[in-house]
Amino acid sequence: MGNESQFSSAIVRPPGPDFAEGLTEAGLGRPDFPLALRQHEAYCRALEECGLVLHRLPAEPGLPDSTFVEDTALLLPEKAILTRPGAESRRGEIGKIRDAVGVFFADVATIDPPGTLDAGDVCEAGETLFVGLSRRTNEEGIRQLGALAGSGYRVVPIDIRQMNDLLHLKSGLSFLGNNRLLSSHHFDSAMFSGHFEVIRVPADEWYAANAVLINGSLLVPDRFPQTEQLLRNRGYRILPVEMSEFRKMDGGPSCLSLRVRAIYP
Ligand code: CIR
């Protein structure tokens, strides 16, 4: 396994009392706030079990989607890139994450107008960045990301604008290390250009395609037994996390943390 999935810390933020006012198309009903808080705490414990030191931010009332910290920044090994969320209601989250990112990175770049980018659209797979061209991330955002990431990275855009059930690319595509990807959708295999093996989750378990590899363990949403078995058969240590209340707001396991690889004093 390469060191691309070795992390030391994670930035997290619990949902606030107005969590249910956030954006959602899931149609699964209103989240139960006390239960969401308990699930968030259990998620944090799972991160700690993977060896991460948590940088815990306070809830941000007025920014109901701010628990989904992943979307606000892309943390590459060398630098951080603050995003510019596609949804206007989420733009205020950037000012609230800047200082926390600055604790870990000396080099913090930004995506500027008219670019938009949600980091949930960026699937880091070693030196390849698969980036969803989505309802949230536009071509200019992808162009800026490519320029900021630099020549050490290959940026591969994937147009998901017609895939109405995918909010972000990573809702349906995760990196599993060792040139492996987990996916729920049929993406044009030419994009993986022979370098990547793609494991498909069963159609009725599509939500399980958002998984996070941390220090050799794989966080997956609980209650998807076929996907768990597929992954166990390949030797992964599985840590199932309860996500029902976050799923109601279109979030998955990756969305709830910003994983940090190294500390830059
Ligand atoms: C939103 O619509 O922006 C939030 N309710 C959900 C964001 C989920 N984030 C992610 O997939 N990375």
Side-chain angles (χ1 to χ4, degrees), residues 7-264:
F7 299 95
S8 58
S9 315
I11 301 170
V12 290
R13 185 192 298 287
D18 57 358
F19 178 52
E21 310 310 320
L23 301 168
T24 180
E25 294 176 1
L28 294 173
R30 271 177 88 77
D32 173 323
F33 178 56
L35 179 55
L37 282 179
R38 289 200 296 279
Q39 290 184 348
H40 191 269
E41 195 43 47
Y43 175 88
C44 289
R45 282 198 302 274
L47 294 183
E48 286 174 336
E49 213 177 297
C50 296
L52 301 190
V53 174
L54 298 189
H55 186 93
R56 292 175 182 260
L57 299 176
E60 276 297 342
L63 292 169
D65 281 312
S66 56
T67 188
F68 299 115
V69 286
E70 173 180 71
D71 293 317
T72 60
L74 181 66
L75 306 184
L76 297 172
E78 316 74 20
K79 66 157 70 168
I81 300 172
L82 295 175
T83 66
R84 182 166 181 269
E88 193 104 36
S89 65
R90 300 199 58 186
R91 300 251 165 96
E93 294 175 30
I94 303 306
K96 301 288 183 187
I97 203 83
R98 190 183 302 270
D99 287 351
V101 168
V103 168
F104 298 99
F105 289 88
D107 189 354
V108 182
T110 55
I111 298 291
D112 298 319
T116 62
L117 182 84
D118 282 13
D121 273 321
V122 184
C123 178
E124 282 181 74
E127 281 87 55
T128 303
L129 303 177
F130 295 106
V131 190
L133 175 61
S134 70
R135 285 169 285 154
R136 300 287 178 88
T137 294
N138 66 15
E139 276 159 345
E140 172 59 14
I142 297 175
R143 190 198 64 73
Q144 289 183 30
L145 168 66
L148 291 168
S151 58
Y153 288 92
R154 184 172 71 105
V155 170
V156 180
I158 300 183
D159 191 344
I160 61 165
R161 288 172 297 184
Q162 304 308 319
M163 299 181 176
N164 291 331
D165 49 346
L166 278 191
L167 172 63
H168 290 121
L169 178 64
K170 266 196 299 199
S171 318
L173 187 71
S174 302
F175 180 55
L176 299 182
N178 291 333
N179 294 339
R180 267 193 199 134
L181 297 162
L182 183 68
S183 93
S184 55
H185 286 61
H186 177 74
F187 298 106
D188 177 3
S189 55
M191 280 178 301
F192 305 127
S193 59
H195 289 310
F196 293 94
E197 176 200 354
V198 181
I199 302 174
R200 283 289 288 278
V201 302
D204 58 341
E205 295 199 357
W206 63 267
Y207 180 74
N210 181 272
V212 201
L213 184 65
I214 302 174
N215 301 343
S217 297
L218 202 51
L219 258 64
V220 295
D222 72 343
R223 296 181 210 188
F224 294 101
Q226 301 170 77
T227 305
E228 270 190 38
Q229 197 53 52
L230 268 178
L231 295 167
R232 280 190 215 283
N233 290 347
R234 297 191 185 236
Y236 289 96
R237 173 178 184 248
I238 304 295
L239 277 181
V241 281
E242 252 188 72
M243 291 297 299
S244 64
E245 303 317 289
F246 298 99
R247 184 177 180 182
K248 289 176 182 171
M249 303 307 290
D250 288 338
S254 74
C255 320
L256 292 180
S257 58
L258 272 169
R259 281 86 49 198
V260 181
R261 288 194 183 80
I263 293 180
Y264 291 77

